[in-house]
Amino acid sequence: MYASSTEYCRFLPRLVVVGRDAKVIGVYVEVGGEHGELLYTEVPRRILSAGFRILESTTACGTRIHRGFYVVEAGDLDRSMLLNALRGLEGVLKVETTVPWGGILVAPRSDLLSFGNMRAVMICKDSLVSIWEGYLERLGEGLAATLLFWLGYFFGRCLARQVELIVANPSELEPETLQAILSRLLRATGWADSARVSKKRGEITVRIHGNMECLALAEARHKPRGSNIMRGIVAGVFSTLYGTPVSVEEKSCVLFGGDFCEFRLTPRRS
């Protein structure tokens, strides 16, 4: 599903972890399209004037509606005074507040998560551990590793298509340029902190720093023999960009004491 062409950007889900005893509330504000500046000027000014302290904020612009979510320290202050002050602003369409549930503060309204112009879902660290251990129990290690590799591979193909939207001839990219693009995409999707790409005598080396898969599965009862999802992502990205299958071998892994996960890529023999 694609983002609406009538919106410049989307208001993605906000989930904030706060202390269980913290006196914090979330303030959600919608303003009309011609009043977008209010989210950066008068709305925060009135929150502060009412005695609340803004801890963080998120805003999203649109053609008809602008939206903001403010995480504020409330103390023992009366939130009704704040609501009345914000609702009295010309251009404000909606004001809602939310309180934490068990230390989690969630925005009352948001768009569905997206990656580029596509619907997306979120996989947390504990989910990866649960998936791996469930596969192990039901399918055995060999098939579990294979399924995770192909999960990564097809996601890597999706990443490669995003690269193709950014540059005209991705197969001709210099390693430094591809490294910068790949690092940003992996970081934006949460899979890694950064990537390093080098090429020597036809062999490509990819180093992944902060590989979320391996950082998560380090806590599993039975660790895999290496990275499967990220190995698949790397294979999917480079096979798609270069238009030919590549073999990916992991030479170093954080699961076994490495500072990074290192992959060597070579053209696959037919």
Side-chain angles (χ1 to χ4, degrees):
M1 182 177 292
Y2 293 86
S4 169
S5 60
T6 62
E7 295 295 323
Y8 292 115
C9 58
R10 312 179 80 200
F11 189 72
L12 299 180
R14 295 291 296 121
L15 187 151
V16 182
V17 179
V18 300
R20 287 184 175 273
D21 298 325
K23 295 183 178 181
V24 172
I25 63 171
V27 181
Y28 173 82
V29 182
E30 287 185 4
V31 301
E34 69 276 19
H35 298 286
E37 76 282 351
L38 291 176
L39 296 179
Y40 311 98
T41 56
E42 193 59 30
V43 168
R45 188 176 300 126
R46 292 203 177 191
I47 292 174
L48 294 172
S49 296
F52 297 83
R53 186 163 71 98
I54 300 174
L55 303 177
E56 68 170 85
S57 63
T58 304
T59 57
C61 55
T63 54
R64 296 187 302 271
I65 297 175
H66 300 272
R67 293 175 286 183
F69 183 63
Y70 306 84
V71 180
V72 303
E73 192 172 53
D76 296 319
L77 296 172
D78 182 1
R79 79 178 70 173
S80 64
M81 295 178 58
L82 174 60
L83 293 176
N84 291 335
L86 294 177
R87 286 169 178 157
L89 272 173
E90 181 182 357
V92 169
L93 305 176
K94 185 186 297 291
V95 180
E96 295 182 34
T97 61
T98 183
V99 296
W101 298 344
I104 301 294
L105 183 67
V106 182
R109 297 173 184 267
S110 65
D111 290 321
L112 293 167
L113 193 63
S114 66
F115 172 55
N117 58 358
M118 297 174 289
R119 279 275 301 275
V121 295
M122 186 181 298
I123 300 178
C124 64
K125 183 184 73 172
D126 289 351
S127 296
L128 281 178
V129 175
S130 179
I131 291 169
W132 167 248
E133 292 182 342
Y135 279 176
L136 274 180
E137 179 183 347
R138 294 178 178 270
L139 305 173
E141 185 169 358
L143 187 53
T146 300
L147 286 173
L148 290 181
F149 170 84
W150 287 110
L151 170 69
Y153 182 89
F154 292 115
F155 176 71
R157 287 176 57 177
C158 179
L159 280 184
R161 294 189 185 103
Q162 298 302 310
V163 176
E164 291 169 345
L165 293 175
I166 298 171
V167 295
N169 298 301
S171 62
E172 300 175 8
L173 284 176
E174 292 296 324
E176 294 79 8
T177 305
L178 180 56
Q179 169 182 298
I181 297 172
L182 188 57
S183 288
R184 292 178 184 180
L185 289 176
L186 288 174
R187 188 173 182 85
T189 52
W191 282 106
D193 293 340
S194 64
R196 298 292 299 272
V197 180
S198 60
K199 188 174 184 179
K200 188 175 182 180
R201 291 193 290 273
E203 184 178 82
I204 299 173
T205 299
V206 180
R207 288 182 176 179
I208 302 295
H209 294 264
N211 178 1
M212 201 271 263
E213 174 195 6
C214 291
L215 294 175
L217 296 185
E219 300 178 10
R221 292 189 298 271
H222 179 80
K223 297 179 179 61
R225 298 180 184 181
S227 171
N228 294 301
I229 298 176
M230 185 57 69
R231 184 166 56 90
I233 290 174
V234 171
V237 167
F238 285 86
S239 293
T240 304
L241 292 181
Y242 293 141
T244 185
V246 298
S247 295
V248 180
E249 182 182 4
E250 189 171 22
K251 293 292 188 178
S252 177
C253 186
V254 299
L255 278 171
F256 303 101
D259 294 327
F260 43 76
C261 294
E262 181 177 280
F263 304 93
R264 302 284 176 84
L265 284 66
T266 54
R268 187 184 301 167
R269 295 183 178 88
S270 51

